[in-house]
Every structure is written in structure tokens, then in C-alpha cells.
Amino acid sequence: MHIDAHYPKCFVYYLILGSWLLSCLLHFEYFHLSRSSFAAPRSAALIVLPIAPDASFLPTPTVEAYNRQRSTSSSVVASPSQSSSQPWCEGRYVFMLDVPSRFDMLRDCVAGSPLFDDMWSWCAITVNAGLGPKIGPVAGNGSDGDTDIIPSTGWYSTDQYSLEVIFHNWMRRYECLTDDQTAATAVYVPYYPALELHQHLCGFNTTVRDGPSEAFLRWLSSQPTWAALGGRDHFMVAAKTTWMFRREPGGRDEGCGNNFLGQPEARNITVLTYESNIWAPRDIAVPYPSYFHPSSAGEVVAWQARARAAPRPFLYAFAGARRIKGQLAIRDRVFDVCEAAARRGRCGMVDCSHGLEGSITCRSPRKLVSLFTSARFCLQPRGDSFARRSSIDSVMAGCIPVFFHRPSTLKAQYRWHEPEPGRTNSDDRRYYVLIDSNDVLEGRVDIEEELSRYTDDEVTAMREEVIKMIPRFLYKDPRVRFEGDMRDAFDIIIDEMIARMRRIKNGEQLIWKGDGEDRDEDLIASDS
């Protein structure tokens, strides 16, 4: 009776107590789930961008952006609208233009289209966000030149002209994109001038070759972002050498290339090419893409160890083709020297001279990487221009490059990537050999004799310098969240580009690549 008499009051007390306990439980679950949702993903998880037929004009995807300057335990969602609230992006914002579909070079690259299925079309390079087909396990017993030197992950058949696509996919997940033009330090232009030119590279009249890029530049210069600085805070990638975009006005219709970089609207844009015009401050050379696109620092360390330990039976190696009518005398001499030395087991060689068969042979990453990891030195005579993709491939293989022209050296071309952090130009850092081409052609220097002068200890030290350069010359897989702390070619490019744009916006007149140094006139040699 006592309890029954006070039942209403007890009921109220129990109700209040139960509500409080339920509230505590719900708050605990919410806090726990919130922490879980913002925790770093497990190391095995890869955040993959969708492979789209229109990689150039898709909206920015919502992906986890990895901030290289913060702890790996934190992750944020990267999108233009959200990046503006990130404090570490102050001064690093990039506005990415939305380019009209009529300038989309990949609009016909859709599954089932003839271009998509044609291995020789530009659509083929769009596979895996521009990395190309994945390199599978080695087939056969290695008698055809293929070996098992390439690991099972991180390696792709990457076309040398695919950097426009790869770079755009990387920029789509750059953590400091912004949709506020006024807050941006730089403006990225996702246009593919090399792929556009590739359709009519040679043999077309100048109107056909120049017309599309002229139309694009007219559109670009009409945009609101252009008005403030006349395009001086804009940058883009052009995945060919600068000379292919500098055809002299009034040239013959039978020539190659266009006048993209000669147009008035283009003269203020910073253009990243594979080989720069060392007189022009706006086009800066960046490395060719290699076949190695890792998704973790562990993959890089493992490959460096493999390249360091690889047996190298050849003193030197060369991969390339002759030029018709002896147009490049030093290249023909290198070809002759290596061909003769190959019969004595001193030179390894991949001959790309035999038409379609030679072209296919030199598109085999396994054969090229196998060759370069089996030699101490890799010969790099100039080709159609001073810079060669083969130079980058030799770095990836830990093979000491041998140059015959000073403008071909990594130091001359890749001024953002070649310097080792923390070391000055006065430091003793030998990692390549430079032999004057005229000395070779006039018989004053024998290539094999010159390379034989280096002792085992000297070769080991030089190779180690090359292997340490590997991270700075590779491009990470742009589709995934990179695991570990490592600065690659992308990181260096964006850091240097942001620094360059800050100087421009501060009113500085950049004369030589933005570094304030005098021109290296000795880089321009009369040798051929």
C-alpha cells in the first residue's frame, strides 16, 4: 500500500532516470561513430577515382584528399567548395577552369567507339587515368628480353605523351582546389594542347594545325580569371617538347607542329613541357612520365632496393633508332659503337629502327627496364630534341645516364626536380657523365674507353645518387590516396608553381624560370 500510494511520484523518478541513461547512451554512440567516420582508413584501403571516358570535363569528384603536410591520421574530403575552409591551404589555393566540351579531346574516347579500341589512338592513353594498361606478370622464360625485374604492382605501360591526362586527374583531387577565383593563387587550365596537335601533327596546312588552339586561346582570354593579370597566373601542361608548339609563322604546310606558344594570348601562361626553351620564362620542363606509378612509399623503397641489387653485366646500354640520311651524326655513332660492343658482351641494346616492329619493341616497358637495370651506364644521345624520355627511364632503373650535349642533362632541363634538397650546387654530387659529341665524332674520345675509366666504387656512388633521385622523377598513381610520406614530381611541380605565382602576384618580373639566375648561355651548343 505504501508503494501504491506513491506510485505516480516513483514513476516520474524512474522515467527521469531512464531518460538520462538513454541520453548518455546515445551521446556515447554518436561520439564513437563520429570518431570512426573521421579516422584514417586502414592501410589496405585505396580511394579510387572513377575512370571516365571524359577525364577532361567531369565535375570534381568527392574523394578523400591526403594532406601531405599533416598527420596521416586525419582525412578530409577534397572538393572546390570545401577546400576554401582548410587553414593549411592558405596561399596554396588553385582555381581549375571549367573548359567547354567543344575543346574536349577525349569526347570520343568512350567504350565501344573505334578510337577507344584502337591501340594507336590517343584514347588508348586514357586507361587507368592516363597511366595506361597495367603491366602483368612476365610471360615466357625471358629469352625475348623480358625478365621478371618489374614488380607485380605499381607499373604501367604509360605513353610518353600522357602527362596532360595524368596531371589533370591529379589536380582533380588536389586538396586546395577552390571555387573562389579571388582566393586562388594560381589558375589551372585543363586543356590538352599536345593531344589536340597530335591529330594533325605533320603534313597538314598551317590553318588546320593552328586553328583549334587559336580558338581555344580566344576563349581562354575572354574568361573572368584572365582579366586581373592577363593570364600570368595561369598554368597548363603541354605533353610534348616546347619546339612542337613554336612553328615559325608563315612556315611551309609540309612541316610539323603549330604556333600555340607563339600566339599573343599564350605569352603569359606558364606552360609545363617535356623540354623547355631555355630563353623563355613561361614554359618550364617537367619530367616525362615513367612506367612506375606507386601508391605507397613502401613500393618506392622496395624498387630502389631492387634497382640497387640488380646484376649489371653490361658496361653500357642504348635503346633507340637511327635517323634517316644521317641527320643526327652522334646518334648514328652511338648506334655503331653499341652494336659493335654488343658482340663482345659489353653493350646491351634495343634497336627501334625497323618501322612498326621497332616501334612496338620500344614500347615494351619490360624490355626497356630489363635492359637499363642490366647496365652500369645508359647512353643518351639527343633525338629529335635534346630531352629524351629514355633519360627518365634510366633514372628509374638506377642506370647512370651518359649525355653528349649539355642541354640534354637533367640539370639543364629539370631545374625544379634535379636538385637534391638540402644540397647546394657547390656540393660534390656526381651522378652522370657528359661527353662532348664533337670529341666523339672527331675521334678524340672513345665512348667505351671513357666509361671504363670509372672504378667500381665510383660507379656504385654515382648509381646511389641516381637511385636517390627516383622519387623526385616519378608520378604517383593519381587515383589513390598515397600511403606514406614522399614528395614526387607532382608535389614538386605544385610547390614550385605556387611559389612562382606568388612572385608574379607580388609584381616581380620573372626573367629566367622564376629563379632569378642568369641565363646559362653555355647550354646552347653548336654540336649536333
Side-chain angles (χ1 to χ4, degrees), residues 132-146:
K134 192 178 186 304
I135 299 176
V138 64
N141 58 10
S143 61
D144 61 351
D146 288 349

Side-chain angles (χ1 to χ4, degrees), residues 61-120:
T62 300
V63 297
E64 288 190 341
Y66 176 53
N67 186 341
R68 291 173 293 277
Q69 299 178 356
R70 296 177 64 85
S71 169
T72 56
S73 65
S74 63
S75 61
V76 294
V77 176
S79 70
S81 60
Q82 292 171 319
S83 65
S84 58
S85 64
Q86 308 303 341
W88 58 82
C89 288
E90 188 64 36
R92 295 180 58 82
Y93 296 126
V94 174
F95 180 83
M96 182 163 60
L97 281 176
D98 184 13
V99 177
S101 60
R102 67 179 181 274
F103 299 118
D104 176 10
M105 296 311 305
L106 305 182
R107 58 183 174 269
D108 296 323
C109 296
V110 294
S113 71
L115 282 176
F116 191 81
D117 296 329
D118 182 1
M119 66 174 291
W120 300 104

Side-chain angles (χ1 to χ4, degrees), residues 6-21:
H6 295 280
Y7 175 78
K9 187 175 181 180
C10 293
F11 177 80
V12 172
Y13 287 156
Y14 285 127
L15 181 62
I16 293 174
L17 179 61
S19 298
W20 179 80
L21 289 173

Side-chain angles (χ1 to χ4, degrees), residues 52-57 101-110 113 115-116 121-127 129-130 164-166 168-169 192 195-196 199:
D54 182 359
S56 182
F57 301 96
S101 60
R102 67 179 181 274
F103 299 118
D104 176 10
M105 296 311 305
L106 305 182
R107 58 183 174 269
D108 296 323
C109 296
V110 294
S113 71
L115 282 176
F116 191 81
S121 79
W122 60 86
C123 291
I125 74 173
T126 68
V127 176
E164 291 165 344
V165 180
I166 298 173
H168 186 195
N169 276 283
Y192 302 167
L195 284 187
E196 186 282 311
Q199 301 174 96

